Amino acid sequence: MMNRFCVTCGKEKDLVNEFCRGCFAKENSLLKHFKELDIVICENCGSYLHKNSWQKQEHKDLEKNIERVILKLFNEKIVLNPGAELKRLNINTELPKKLKIGNKSIVNVNLCIEVIGSIKGVKIEESYEVPTQIKFSTCNNCKKLRGNYYEAKLQIRPKNEKVLKFVDNYCKTKKNLFISKIEEYKHGWDVYLSEQKEARNLGNVLKKKFGGEVKESKKIFGRKDGRDVYRATIVVRLEK
Ligand SMILES: [Zn+2]
Ligand SMILES: [Zn+2]
């Protein structure tokens, strides 16, 4: 015969698996466990490591970025108990008052995690405190930039402010494309770009948008992993 009373407190209402709703919520948890969190953030641009690749920062503000990165990464680390439905995950990241970061610095933080959801229609709220570490490092792009690295030189001929502005904005929207430096000449600008394929795409975009002619040449500048590495020069000759 079915038990009509809560096995824990003896209440006789709305039984779920022989418990009243209150006791059911106490007996069951949403989270089975969470896997260890590995947080690596670039000290320079705020991008973060996700499955071994660098992702663009989540927010321009350092502290907000850290909070959002943690929330994003943590979301993937939680393992729910069978039947648990997650409705909301809040994480309050307690950062040190004076946050000083640099390459290789490690910051200890305390995560106050609030998990809200349900099992069998019973609302359950849980909270956890998880001490964790944020490791700061320099991402590949920033490393490249610091070494004045470039893979392509985009020559804009003649000078055209609109085109230069467009190039600058375009690079800001591409994750791997950065301007390492710009050289000014009487007859135009040389814009040094971090990534060759993206630079080539940019050349094509400029041609479509501003007209004119785009030509590319290549020069060997070294060897890497037994292969020749080329630097490209892309000349954009604008119509007059
Ligand atoms: Zn009960
Ligand atoms: Zn970076």
Side-chain angles (χ1 to χ4, degrees), residues 42-47 54 137-143:
C42 174
E43 39 79 35
N44 187 50
C45 70
S47 62
W54 289 97
S137 166
T138 310
C139 79
N140 297 340
N141 280 320
C142 290
K143 268 187 203 153

Side-chain angles (χ1 to χ4, degrees), residues 49-222:
L49 264 186
H50 180 245
K51 291 177 181 153
N52 285 325
S53 89
W54 289 97
Q55 307 296 317
K56 229 173 186 151
Q57 65 179 2
E58 295 286 318
H59 200 281
K60 280 191 176 125
D61 177 76
L62 173 66
E63 293 188 6
K64 282 199 179 112
N65 186 44
I66 290 172
E67 281 169 11
R68 289 190 193 182
V69 167
I70 287 174
L71 188 61
K72 205 160 183 180
L73 295 177
F74 194 80
N75 243 310
E76 293 175 9
K77 296 289 182 189
I78 54 178
V79 180
L80 297 175
N81 273 316
E85 276 178 59
L86 181 69
K87 285 212 180 68
R88 222 168 65 219
L89 177 70
N90 297 325
I91 301 180
N92 184 22
T93 306
E94 289 174 0
L95 289 164
K97 279 220 169 70
K98 273 193 182 158
L99 196 57
K100 258 180 119 183
I101 58 164
N103 191 18
K104 304 245 158 71
S105 60
I106 290 174
V107 175
N108 291 306
V109 294
N110 203 24
L111 307 180
C112 302
I113 296 158
E114 193 186 11
V115 190
I116 298 158
S118 63
I119 300 175
K120 292 189 188 237
V122 180
K123 191 181 177 195
I124 298 175
E125 289 188 36
E126 296 159 16
S127 55
Y128 301 88
E129 272 196 35
V130 184
T132 190
Q133 285 190 329
I134 307 170
K135 294 173 201 133
F136 288 91
S137 166
T138 310
C139 79
N140 297 340
N141 280 320
C142 290
K143 268 187 203 153
K144 276 186 185 180
L145 273 182
R146 288 195 178 154
N148 239 348
Y149 182 94
Y150 74 96
E151 289 181 2
K153 183 160 75 173
L154 182 80
Q155 300 185 309
I156 303 169
R157 302 288 183 269
K159 270 188 197 167
N160 182 316
E161 295 280 352
K162 253 192 206 162
V163 174
L164 187 66
K165 185 94 198 120
F166 181 85
V167 168
D168 187 38
N169 285 330
Y170 183 91
C171 291
K172 281 177 187 153
T173 65
K174 301 285 171 189
K175 195 178 142 324
N176 294 318
L177 193 62
F178 288 95
I179 297 174
S180 305
K181 62 175 169 180
I182 299 176
E183 282 174 354
E184 190 174 1
Y185 298 98
K186 235 188 194 165
H187 49 276
W189 287 291
D190 285 1
V191 182
Y192 292 80
L193 298 168
S194 59
E195 219 273 334
Q196 205 168 113
K197 223 170 96 187
E198 289 281 9
R200 194 168 296 130
N201 291 339
L202 171 58
N204 292 328
V205 170
L206 291 177
K207 188 178 170 178
K208 260 196 205 140
K209 196 168 164 60
F210 298 99
E213 207 183 33
V214 176
K215 268 191 188 157
E216 187 184 332
S217 58
K218 279 184 173 187
K219 234 192 232 164
I220 293 182
F221 83 94

